[in-house]
Amino acid sequence: MFSLAGRLAVVTGSSRGIGLGIARGYLSVGAKVVLNGRDLHRLEKAAAALRGEPGVAAAAVQVAAFDVVDEAAVVRAAEEIVAAHGCPDILVNNAGIQVRGALTELPAEDWRRVVDVNLTSAFVVGRTFARYMLARGSGKIVNICSVQNQLVRPSTAPYAAAKNGLGGLTQSMCAEWAPRGLQVNGLAPGYLDTDLNASLVTDPEFSSWITKRTPAGRWGQVDDIVGPAIWLASAASDFVNGQIIYVDGGLTAVI
């Protein structure tokens, strides 16, 4: 029931980090994946790396370079993907950025950029591909949320606000689309050792605090997200809808 054989997945922000890890995981259980990002060169490099892994057919990895906050570009890309490969079975809204700063000093433009990439993109990309899924009567959407759906820290206001909004959007998508055959859930990683958190991972004081604050006693790794992402994309989660699944080593369970 965890097989994705014959399924097509579109994963935004997948040239590296969580998105690339999820794409690799989907390939490992039989899916065909479309990698997305703005930088075509970086996408092609990621695709080549995936195609070079054992058991991965070259045709199983495709790329689609487009800006997830540009609705016209998203619509064009969706049309091209559907024309070339058929309607996606799975969409992972993973694209995200982080800009840290005090609320009183943060430029409004940085606020808008973080909210656009982390939240508005999921609305734009989600509804664009959902139109095809709804016409077919089935589909899985996984929105990559965060522990900051529940817990926040100073200096991360736009990111926390966007991820909280993404949780609400996930539930709204469920409310509207579940009766028509879609499952929409959020996957909320804890603190992971990724490029997005590189400055925190290399900060001895912060890194020590995270490992002590997390019951599992360590930073999360991208591989920790892959299994839950496969579950939410597979038939095993067909009755799971509108949920935010925390994969955080217990961080949100304790005080």
Side-chain angles (χ1 to χ4, degrees):
M1 67 172 61
F2 295 96
S3 172
L4 298 182
R7 305 288 181 89
L8 174 65
V10 175
V11 185
T12 69
S14 50
S15 62
R16 58 184 176 180
I18 291 174
L20 182 59
I22 289 174
R24 180 178 287 109
Y26 286 172
L27 286 166
S28 75
V29 289
K32 180 178 180 178
V33 299
V34 179
L35 305 179
N36 157 261
R38 292 186 301 171
D39 186 329
L40 181 58
H41 174 72
R42 183 179 288 170
L43 281 176
E44 293 287 9
K45 184 177 179 181
L50 291 178
R51 292 178 185 129
E53 295 187 356
V56 176
V61 186
Q62 303 295 324
V63 300
F66 60 89
D67 187 338
V68 291
V69 300
D70 181 342
E71 185 167 16
V74 171
V75 170
R76 285 195 302 272
E79 290 172 348
E80 291 169 0
I81 290 168
V82 171
H85 310 292
C87 175
D89 303 283
I90 304 150
L91 168 66
V92 180
N93 283 310
N94 169 71
I97 61 171
Q98 173 70 287
V99 176
R100 297 180 175 87
L103 274 170
T104 51
E105 308 301 326
L106 186 77
E109 181 56 35
D110 283 345
W111 171 279
R112 295 187 186 98
R113 186 159 61 95
V114 172
V115 171
D116 274 352
V117 175
N118 289 281
L119 174 57
T120 306
S121 71
F123 161 71
V124 171
V125 178
R127 74 171 185 174
T128 299
F129 283 99
R131 287 170 180 146
Y132 295 100
M133 294 176 173
L134 291 167
R136 184 184 56 200
S138 65
K140 302 268 192 175
I141 297 177
V142 181
N143 294 325
I144 303 301
C145 298
S146 167
V147 290
Q148 294 203 46
N149 282 58
Q150 281 195 32
L151 307 172
V152 302
R153 300 188 71 253
S155 81
T156 63
Y159 184 84
K163 292 301 186 180
N164 269 273
L166 185 55
L169 178 62
T170 298
Q171 292 175 313
S172 295
M173 288 174 167
C174 168
E176 293 197 21
W177 299 339
R180 299 172 62 186
L182 273 59
Q183 289 86 52
V184 187
N185 294 286
L187 188 58
Y191 280 87
L192 301 189
D193 184 354
T194 64
D195 290 346
L196 192 67
N197 289 326
S199 63
L200 303 179
V201 174
T202 56
D203 180 333
E205 183 178 355
F206 186 88
S207 192
S208 176
W209 178 79
I210 280 295
T211 56
K212 291 176 182 176
R213 175 70 176 80
T214 304
R218 63 174 176 85
W219 281 82
Q221 302 296 321
V222 170
D223 285 349
D224 293 318
I225 301 299
V226 173
I230 291 172
W231 170 59
L232 289 177
S234 73
S237 62
D238 279 353
F239 201 55
V240 180
N241 225 328
Q243 303 304 304
I244 309 299
I245 309 300
Y246 288 88
V247 185
D248 61 4
L251 181 66
T252 54
V254 301
I255 58 173

